[in-house]
C-alpha cells in the first residue's frame, strides 16, 4: 500500500500548530534554570567536560576521567558542552530544552505526514506528549532520541522501496544519532522495521482472497502465504547495512555493562492502572490527573475505532502496529524497570505506547468532522495542561530560587557533599513546602561556575556517561551511590566520615535540603557529625537549605547568615532547633 504524502501548503491547521508550539515554550522560561531531577547533573557535567577540554580546572582532572568507550547517553552532553562554549550556563540549558520542544513537535508532525498527510491533525498529540515524565526526570538523552526516532521512521517509510547512496547515508546518520542519544528508541526502531519488513514480504505474495476476512481465515487454518523471499532478503540486507555499525556498538556496550535487570516493587494491577491513567505523561501537578484522564479516553477511542473498523486499514499496518502495542503493554506490566545499567524504563515504555497509538491511528482514514473535534479537544487539553504546569512550576521556582541563594556561600574549587531529605510517604507530604524529588540533584546547580566537585555526581559512577570517577582517586565509585537521595524510609544514611575515607581527603562543605521537615531519628548521626565538625554558615529564610563549612577551613566563627544581608548570632545547634 502506497503511503499518502503531503504537498507543501500553509493551512489553518499549520498556523494553529505553530501557535500551540509557541505556547508550549512558555514553561521553559519560568525561572533562570528549569528544575528537573537529572537535568542539573547533565548541565553540571557538560560544564565539567568544557573545563576539562579547555584545561581550566585541575581539580576536575584529579577526581574525574574521560569515558573512552562509545556508549549511548552522549548527545545532550555534547550539545550542552558546545552551547557552553558560547553561552552562559542558564542560557545554554534553555536553548537545549527549547530545541527539544520544537524538534519533538516538528519531527512528530513529519512522521505523521509521511505516513498519511490526511492524518496531519494527529500531530496535535505532540503537545501533550512533549512534557512527559521522562522529561521531568531529566532524561534529556532519551528525549532527544525520540526526535531521531520520528525522523528515522518517517524518512525510512518514505524511502524504503527506493534506496540510494544519499538516502542510505542519511538513514545511517540517524541511527548513529539515535544510538548516541539513547538505546531504547534505537531498539524500538529496529522492532518497527523488523516487523514491517516481514509483514511486507508476506503481503507482496498475496493470494486472490487477500482481504481481511480471507487473511485471518488463512491464519486460522495455518495456510499462511509464502513471503517474497527476494524482497525480504533485500530489505534485511539494507537493514544490516543501516544498523551494522551501531548494532556492533550496542552489543559491545551491553557486554561491557551487563544485561542485568531489576523490577520495580509494584503490583501488576498497579502497572495496568498507571498505563491507563497516562502516568508516564504526568509532568508535575496533581491537577493534571483529570486532564490526562480525558486525553486517555480520546486515545482509547481512537484505538478502539482502528481495532474494530480494521477493514479500512492495510493488513500490513494493522498487524505491525497492533503487535507493537501489545508488546509494549505486556512489557509495561510485566517487564523490568531497569536493564543494562539504566533505570526508569516504565515511563519510557509507556510513552512509546501512546506514541504508537497515534501512529496506529495515522494509517486510518478519518472523517473531516472527526478530525476537527479531535484537534480542538486535544489542543484545549494541551493548553490547559500548560496553564496548570506553569502555575506549578512558578510555585516550585520560588523554592528553587531560595535553594540557589546558597550558591554564593560556596567558594570555587570546593568539594561538596549534599544531602536531600524528602518524603516518599504521601501522608507526610503535607509537611513539605514542595515535592523535593525534582530537586534531588540540586547540588549540581550550586557548583555551576565554581569548578568544584559535587559528590552527588551520579553520572560519574554509572560507567556510561562521558565522565567517570577517577579510579586512582576513588577506588570504588559505586559506593558513592545515593549521596543526596535520602528518602523518608528506614535506610542507612552513610556518614560524612565514610565519604571522606572514600575520596581520601576532607569534605569542604555539606549542604542539606529539607532537613527541617524530616524525622531526625533517620539521620541523627549525620546531624551530630555536622555539629561536631562543621559550622552552619548559611540558613535560608524558610529553612529549606542549610550550608555547613568544615571547621578546619579557618572561617571566622561568630555569625550565621540567615538571608542575604542579614546576620544573627550563632546559636548552639541542637536536634530540637533543627525542627
Amino acid at each position: 500500500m502506497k503511503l499518502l504524502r503531503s504537498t507543501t501548503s500553509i493551512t489553518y491547521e499549520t498556523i494553529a500548530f505553530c501557535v500551540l508550539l509557541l505556547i508550549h515554550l512558555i514553561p521553559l522560561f519560568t525561572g533562570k534554570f528549569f528544575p528537573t531531577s537529572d537535568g542539573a547533573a547533565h548541565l553540571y557535567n557538560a560544564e565539567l567536560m568544557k573545563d576539562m577540554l579547555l584545561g581550566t580546572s585541575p581539580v576536575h582532572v584529579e577526581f574525574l576521567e574521560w569515558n573512552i568507550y562509545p556508549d549511548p547517553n552522549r548527545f545532550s552532553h555534547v550539545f550542552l558542552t558546545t552551547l557552553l562554549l558560547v553561552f552562559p550556563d542558564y542560557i545554554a540549558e534553555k536553548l537545549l530544552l527549547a530545541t527539544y520542544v520544537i524538534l519533538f513537535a516538528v519531527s512528530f508532525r513529519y512522521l505523521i505526514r509521511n505516513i498519511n498527510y490526511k492524518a496531519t491533525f494527529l500531530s496535535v498529540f505532540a503537545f501533550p506528549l512533549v512534557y512527559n515524565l521522562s522529561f521531568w526526570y531529566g532524561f534529556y538523552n532519551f528525549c532527544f532520541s525520540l526526535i531521531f526516532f520520528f525522523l528515522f521512521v518517517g524518512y525510512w517509510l518514505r524511502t524504503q522501496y527506493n534506496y540510494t547512496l544519499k538516502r542510505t547515508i542519511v538513514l545511517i546518520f540517524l541511527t548513529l544519532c539515535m544510538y548516541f542519544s539513547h538505546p531504547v528508541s534505537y531498539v524500538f526502531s529496529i522492532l518497527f522495521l523488523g516487523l514491517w519488513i516481514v509483514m511486507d514480504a508476506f503481503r507482496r505474495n498475496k493470494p486472490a482472497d487477500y482481504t481481511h476476512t480471507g487473511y485471518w481465515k488463512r491464519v486460522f487454518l495455518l495456510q499462511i502465504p509464502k513471503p517474497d523471499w527476494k524482497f525480504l532478503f533485500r530489505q534485511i540486507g539494507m537493514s544490516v547495512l543501516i544498523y551494522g555499525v551501531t548494532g556492533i556498538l550496542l552489543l559491545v556496550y551491553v557486554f561491557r555493562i551487563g544485561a542485568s535487570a531489576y523490577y520495580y516493587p509494584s503490583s501488576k494491577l498497579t502497572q495496568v492502572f498507571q498505563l491507563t491513567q497516562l502516568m508516564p505523561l504526568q509532568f508535575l501537578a496533581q491537577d493534571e490527573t483529570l486532564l490526562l484522564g480525558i486525553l486517555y479516553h480520546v486515545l482509547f477511542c481512537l484505538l478502539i475505532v482502528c481495532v474494530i473498523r480494521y477493514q479500512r486499514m492495510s493488513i500490513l499496518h494493522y498487524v505491525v502496529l497492533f503487535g507493537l502495542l501489545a508488546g509494549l503493554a505486556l512489557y509495561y506490566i510485566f517487564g523490568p524497570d531497569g536493564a543494562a545499567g539504566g533505570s526508569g524504563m516504565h515511563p519510557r515504555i509507556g510513552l512509546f505506547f501512546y506514541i504508537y497509538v497515534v501512529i496506529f491511528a495515522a494509517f486510518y482514514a478519518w472523517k473531516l468532522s472527526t478530525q476537527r473535534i479531535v484537534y480542538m479537544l486535544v489542543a484545549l487539553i494541551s493548553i490547559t495542561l500548560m496553564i496548570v504546569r506553569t502555575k506549578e512550576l512558578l510555585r516550585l521556582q520560588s523554592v528553587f530560587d531560595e535553594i540557589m541563594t546558597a550558591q554564593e556561600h560556596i567558594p570555587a574549587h570546593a568539594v561538596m557533599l549534599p544531602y536531600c531529605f524528602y518524603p516518599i510517604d504521601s501522608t507526610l507530604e503535607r509537611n513539605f513546602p514542595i515535592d523535593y524529588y525534582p530537586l534531588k540533584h540540586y547540588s549540581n546547580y550550586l557548583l555551576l561556575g565554581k569548578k568544584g566537585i559535587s559528590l552527588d555526581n551520579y553520572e560519574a559512577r554509572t560507567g556510561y556517561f562521558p565522565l567517570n570517577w577517577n579510579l586512582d582517586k576513588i577506588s570504588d565509585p559505586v559506593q558513592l551511590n545515593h549521596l543526596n537521595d535520602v528518602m523518608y524510609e528506614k535506610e542507612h544514611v552513610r556518614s560524612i566520615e565514610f565519604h571522606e575515607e572514600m575520596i581520601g581527603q576532607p569534605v569542604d562543605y555539606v549542604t542539606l535540603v529539607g532537613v527541617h521537615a524530616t524525622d531526625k531519628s533517620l539521620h541523627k548521626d549525620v546531624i551530630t557529625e555536622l555539629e561536631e565538625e562543621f559550622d552552619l554558615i548559611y540558613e535560608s529564610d524558610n529553612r529549606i537549605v542549610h550550608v555547613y563549612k568544615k571547621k578546619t577551613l579557618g572561617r571566622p566563627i561568630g555569625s550565621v547568615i540567615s538571608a542575604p544581608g542579614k546576620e544573627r548570632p550563632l546559636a548552639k545547634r541542637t536536634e530540637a532547633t533543627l525542627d
Side-chain angles (χ1 to χ4, degrees):
M1 177 180 177
K2 189 174 181 179
L3 302 179
L4 298 176
R5 300 195 178 101
S6 65
T7 57
T8 56
S9 61
I10 298 178
T11 63
Y12 289 116
E13 186 277 332
T14 304
I15 297 173
F17 184 87
C18 293
V19 171
L20 285 171
L21 182 54
L22 291 175
I23 292 174
H24 281 73
L25 291 173
I26 293 175
L28 302 179
F29 299 92
T30 53
K32 183 176 181 181
F33 293 101
F34 188 82
T36 61
S37 177
D38 292 356
H42 298 328
L43 183 59
Y44 170 66
N45 277 272
E47 188 173 78
L48 295 180
M49 291 169 62
K50 183 199 73 172
D51 291 339
M52 292 181 68
L53 285 171
L54 300 178
T56 57
S57 181
V59 67
H60 294 163
V61 178
E62 179 186 359
F63 278 87
L64 299 163
E65 61 185 8
W66 292 101
N67 177 7
I68 61 174
Y69 294 98
D71 294 336
N73 290 289
R74 291 286 191 273
F75 181 83
S76 70
H77 292 77
V78 174
F79 190 12
L80 266 176
T81 302
T82 304
L83 291 173
L84 287 169
L85 292 173
V86 182
F87 302 100
D89 44 29
Y90 65 96
I91 294 180
E93 183 185 59
K94 292 198 183 309
L95 288 174
L96 174 84
L97 301 183
T99 300
Y100 158 70
V101 172
I102 293 171
L103 291 185
F104 182 97
V106 172
S107 62
F108 188 76
R109 181 181 176 85
Y110 170 81
L111 172 58
I112 298 299
R113 288 175 69 86
N114 271 308
I115 293 172
N116 178 7
Y117 77 92
K118 293 184 178 180
T120 302
F121 76 99
L122 292 172
S123 60
V124 72
F125 279 96
F127 298 110
L129 294 175
V130 65
Y131 287 107
N132 50 73
L133 187 57
S134 294
F135 179 77
W136 184 230
Y137 283 163
F139 297 161
Y140 294 160
N141 285 301
F142 171 74
C143 290
F144 274 95
S145 74
L146 293 171
I147 295 171
F148 297 121
F149 173 85
F150 298 149
L151 293 175
F152 175 82
V153 174
Y155 192 74
W156 182 83
L157 289 173
R158 189 186 187 101
T159 62
Q160 59 175 315
Y161 302 124
N162 188 19
Y163 289 109
T164 63
L165 178 61
K166 177 182 177 182
R167 291 172 176 177
T168 303
I169 292 174
V170 171
L171 290 170
I172 293 174
F173 173 75
L174 290 173
T175 59
L176 285 168
C177 291
M178 268 194 296
Y179 170 80
F180 283 111
S181 296
H182 201 275
V184 169
S185 298
Y186 174 83
V187 170
F188 275 117
S189 71
I190 296 176
L191 292 175
F192 183 91
L193 262 66
L195 279 173
W196 187 283
I197 289 171
V198 171
M199 288 303 303
D200 201 8
F202 280 101
R203 180 185 65 86
R204 295 172 73 87
N205 243 356
K206 59 184 179 181
D209 64 341
Y210 195 78
T211 60
H212 278 277
T213 304
Y215 176 80
W216 294 116
K217 179 181 178 181
R218 285 177 172 273
V219 170
F220 181 75
L221 297 176
L222 299 180
Q223 297 175 352
I224 302 175
K226 293 181 180 180
D228 183 339
W229 293 109
K230 183 179 179 180
F231 171 82
L232 181 60
F233 287 131
R234 177 179 176 273
Q235 291 293 79
I236 291 176
M238 289 303 302
S239 299
V240 170
L241 177 62
I242 293 168
Y243 284 103
V245 175
T246 49
I248 293 172
L249 292 177
L250 182 62
L251 290 175
V252 172
Y253 166 74
V254 173
F255 180 79
R256 188 175 67 85
I257 297 295
S260 60
Y262 70 87
Y263 291 80
Y264 188 77
S266 178
S267 68
K268 308 307 178 188
L269 186 61
T270 301
Q271 296 296 96
V272 173
F273 176 79
Q274 291 180 352
L275 186 63
T276 57
Q277 295 299 310
L278 274 65
M279 289 298 292
L281 297 185
Q282 188 161 2
F283 184 64
L284 179 62
Q286 294 296 326
D287 296 339
E288 298 175 22
T289 305
L290 176 61
L291 294 169
L292 291 177
I294 299 173
L295 182 65
Y296 160 74
H297 284 90
V298 175
L299 285 170
F300 182 74
C301 289
L302 293 178
L303 180 60
I304 290 299
V305 170
C306 291
V307 171
I308 294 177
R309 305 190 66 181
Y310 58 83
Q311 294 90 347
R312 299 185 68 178
M313 296 181 66
S314 163
I315 294 175
L316 166 65
H317 307 150
Y318 188 89
V319 174
V320 170
L321 295 169
F322 191 78
L324 286 170
L325 284 173
L328 286 168
L330 289 174
Y331 185 98
Y332 191 91
I333 298 170
F334 300 102
D337 190 56
S343 61
M345 285 292 293
H346 286 148
R348 308 178 211 253
I349 298 298
L351 178 59
F352 260 106
F353 180 86
Y354 309 135
I355 289 171
Y356 273 123
V357 170
V358 180
I359 292 175
F360 196 174
F363 287 96
Y364 187 82
W366 298 96
K367 294 181 180 179
L368 183 59
S369 58
T370 303
Q371 295 183 25
R372 291 172 176 171
I373 293 173
V374 171
Y375 197 97
M376 289 189 292
L377 182 58
V378 175
L380 182 60
I381 293 172
S382 300
I383 294 173
T384 309
L385 278 172
M386 281 302 95
I387 295 173
V388 171
R389 289 167 173 172
T390 302
K391 179 181 178 182
E392 194 69 14
L393 280 169
L394 289 171
R395 184 177 73 93
L396 176 61
Q397 194 67 48
S398 63
V399 180
F400 182 72
D401 290 342
E402 181 173 341
I403 293 176
M404 289 301 293
T405 59
Q407 187 179 38
E408 63 182 279
H409 302 283
I410 301 172
H413 307 295
V415 177
M416 184 179 72
L417 171 63
Y419 289 95
C420 184
F421 298 91
Y422 63 92
I424 60 173
D425 185 347
S426 59
T427 61
L428 301 170
E429 289 184 358
R430 63 179 181 273
N431 298 322
F432 282 68
I434 60 168
D435 174 10
Y436 283 95
Y437 187 79
L439 306 177
K440 62 181 294 189
H441 296 300
Y442 75 95
S443 62
N444 293 279
Y445 280 127
L446 299 180
L447 287 179
L448 289 176
K450 302 286 186 177
K451 302 185 186 300
I453 292 295
S454 171
L455 297 182
D456 172 44
N457 191 351
Y458 86 95
E459 289 188 13
R461 67 170 177 81
T462 62
Y464 52 76
F465 282 106
L467 296 177
N468 292 332
W469 290 116
N470 189 339
L471 295 181
D472 294 333
K473 179 71 175 179
I474 303 172
S475 59
D476 191 3
V478 178
Q479 295 299 320
L480 293 178
N481 185 14
H482 301 309
L483 293 187
N484 80 334
D485 190 6
V486 185
M487 297 185 187
Y488 203 104
E489 60 184 0
K490 297 290 184 180
E491 65 175 62
H492 176 62
V493 180
R494 290 166 180 164
S495 66
I496 301 170
E497 182 182 3
F498 172 84
H499 298 120
E500 291 179 332
E501 292 176 355
M502 285 294 302
I503 64 175
Q505 70 179 67
V507 171
D508 300 329
Y509 288 82
V510 175
T511 57
L512 274 68
V513 165
V515 66
H516 68 292
T518 58
D519 185 349
K520 303 304 178 293
S521 64
L522 295 180
H523 54 273
K524 183 177 180 180
D525 293 341
V526 173
I527 299 300
T528 302
E529 193 174 9
L530 280 171
E531 293 174 351
E532 293 176 353
E533 301 183 17
F534 290 77
D535 292 321
L536 177 63
I537 63 169
Y538 178 74
E539 180 182 87
S540 63
D541 282 343
N542 296 312
R543 309 189 69 183
I544 292 176
V545 60
H546 302 73
V547 180
Y548 290 82
K549 181 179 180 181
K550 192 81 169 181
K551 290 181 178 179
T552 56
L553 293 181
R555 182 191 64 80
I557 300 175
S559 66
V560 174
I561 303 175
S562 57
K566 300 179 182 179
E567 294 189 356
R568 59 181 174 81
L570 176 61
K572 182 178 179 181
R573 309 301 292 173
T574 64
E575 187 174 331
T577 58
L578 286 174
D579 287 336

